[in-house]
Amino acid sequence: MRLQTTLGRTISVSGVGLHSGRAVRATLRPAPAGRGIAFVRTDVGVVIPALAEEAGRLEYATSLGEPGREVGTIEHLLSAAVGLGLDNLTVEIDGPEVPILDGSSAPWVAEIRKAGLVSLGSAARPFAVTSTLSVHGEEGKWIEIRPSKELRVSYSIDFPNPAIGRQSISLVLTPDVYADHLAPARTFGFLAEYDYLRSKGLAQGASEENCIVVGDSDVMNGSLRFADEFVRHKTLDLVGDLALVGRPVVGHVVAHRAGHALHTALARKIRQAAASEHLRRSEPVHESVALAGR
Ligand SMILES: [Zn+2]
């Protein structure tokens, strides 16, 4: 049995939002057992739990909450938190979007590791799926979670752009595997989409310092951190989006050409399965009450 964890001390990190371009400060504070992860927009006075039913916009990043009161691009920070086994955390942020930093979750991993994790007095509540749950998207995209003794993540992508092409990875996730094999992988954007994104009010904070810039056939800004950095980043995103289950997940997650919408849809399904499992386990109690009432 593993005990729930929180941060050893408060951390503050400043940076710019990838899509909003806004300079923001995020303050990560320890939280008590059972609280889970929650965001607090200190500028508008809103608290948003990091749960799948709070998911808002899912284009090019995952946001939580309603427009105007949302927190955007939460996935890299959440990924670092759950990747390292951090269960309870309050993230105060004075703007609409989590800082993008270098486009990976490595800076968050470094900060969280510096602060350290402390154990709390309650057991962690991992949810192990007992049957396969699947979500299918358009154009042959899909994601599912299968029963497994451990958390394994397998991801495959297939982009027509030759700089990316077909890539796949399969890992059993532990904090060290997460930190070494996924955390350094950076987000990426296509130069050909840049003007379109800007016109939609997105990518306002994008730069060569915070994403891999993909041209027609090459990476435009320096060398990759891994030959398959793209699929590793997609896996990093998936780990962050699955944090929206609100408790550790045990199972084999398999994703093919998925993205934030499918990731969060699976997180919602897992939450529903966990809720009905909870109901099913409580059934004998209800039955005996019903019998006693006869
Ligand atoms: Zn990402």
Side-chain angles (χ1 to χ4, degrees):
M1 184 195 74
R2 168 171 91 72
L3 290 172
Q4 291 188 33
T5 61
T6 191
L7 270 185
R9 61 171 170 80
T10 297
I11 301 168
S12 252
V13 176
S14 297
V16 67
L18 177 66
H19 292 300
S20 62
R22 287 268 300 271
V24 281
R25 185 174 190 82
T27 303
L28 281 55
R29 297 187 188 279
R35 184 69 62 82
I37 302 177
F39 290 87
V40 180
R41 273 283 299 268
T42 55
D43 55 331
V44 289
V46 181
V47 179
I48 311 172
L51 296 173
E53 50 271 33
E54 299 287 344
R57 282 192 302 137
L58 298 169
E59 290 168 315
Y60 300 100
T62 301
S63 69
L64 296 175
E66 293 159 12
R69 300 153 73 85
E70 67 193 338
V71 182
T73 317
I74 54 157
E75 62 272 22
H76 302 164
L77 169 55
L78 286 186
S79 184
V82 300
L84 295 178
L86 172 53
D87 302 301
N88 301 286
L89 174 69
T90 301
V91 182
E92 295 176 358
I93 185 157
D94 61 358
E97 190 179 10
V98 174
I100 190 64
L101 308 177
D102 73 347
S104 78
S105 67
W108 294 116
V109 165
E111 290 295 327
I112 291 169
R113 284 194 153 169
K114 257 192 271 169
L117 298 191
V118 292
S119 291
L120 300 169
S122 310
R125 295 170 52 242
F127 175 65
V129 295
T130 51
S131 60
T132 298
L133 305 171
S134 311
V135 185
H136 289 266
E138 55 194 14
E139 298 163 12
K141 301 173 180 184
W142 57 271
I143 186 166
E144 64 185 33
I145 184 166
R146 306 165 182 166
S148 166
K149 285 201 188 72
E150 55 209 353
L151 174 58
R152 174 179 281 278
V153 185
S154 301
Y155 214 117
S156 55
I157 57 175
D158 186 0
F159 281 83
N161 190 303
I164 304 178
R166 285 184 188 185
Q167 300 185 358
S168 62
I169 194 166
S170 186
L171 298 167
V172 173
L173 270 192
T174 64
D176 285 340
V177 166
Y178 178 82
D180 294 343
H181 297 277
L182 297 182
R186 294 162 297 164
T187 192
F188 53 97
F190 297 95
L191 195 57
E193 286 184 3
Y194 184 64
D195 289 338
Y196 166 77
L197 290 174
R198 300 275 302 179
S199 75
K200 298 262 284 181
L202 296 168
Q204 310 291 313
S207 78
E208 296 197 343
E209 276 68 55
N210 60 30
C211 64
I212 305 169
V213 181
V214 184
D216 290 340
S217 58
D218 284 310
V219 169
M220 311 291 287
N221 57 333
S223 50
L224 294 173
R225 294 179 177 178
F226 304 96
D228 57 355
E229 188 167 357
F230 301 96
V231 75
R232 288 176 193 248
H233 186 79
K234 297 289 286 186
T235 311
L236 179 164
D237 279 343
L238 170 59
V239 172
D241 288 334
L242 281 184
L244 300 178
V245 172
R247 53 197 279 200
V249 174
V250 181
H252 181 187
V253 185
V254 187
H256 179 63
R257 298 176 57 231
H260 297 300
L262 285 184
H263 300 166
T264 53
L266 182 68
R268 251 193 308 274
K269 259 198 166 169
I270 297 171
R271 274 182 70 70
Q272 286 161 1
S276 54
E277 174 86 5
H278 181 72
L279 274 180
R280 195 180 60 74
R281 282 224 218 106
S282 337
E283 258 171 18
V285 178
H286 295 305
E287 265 170 22
S288 60
V289 168
L291 286 172
R294 270 185 201 168

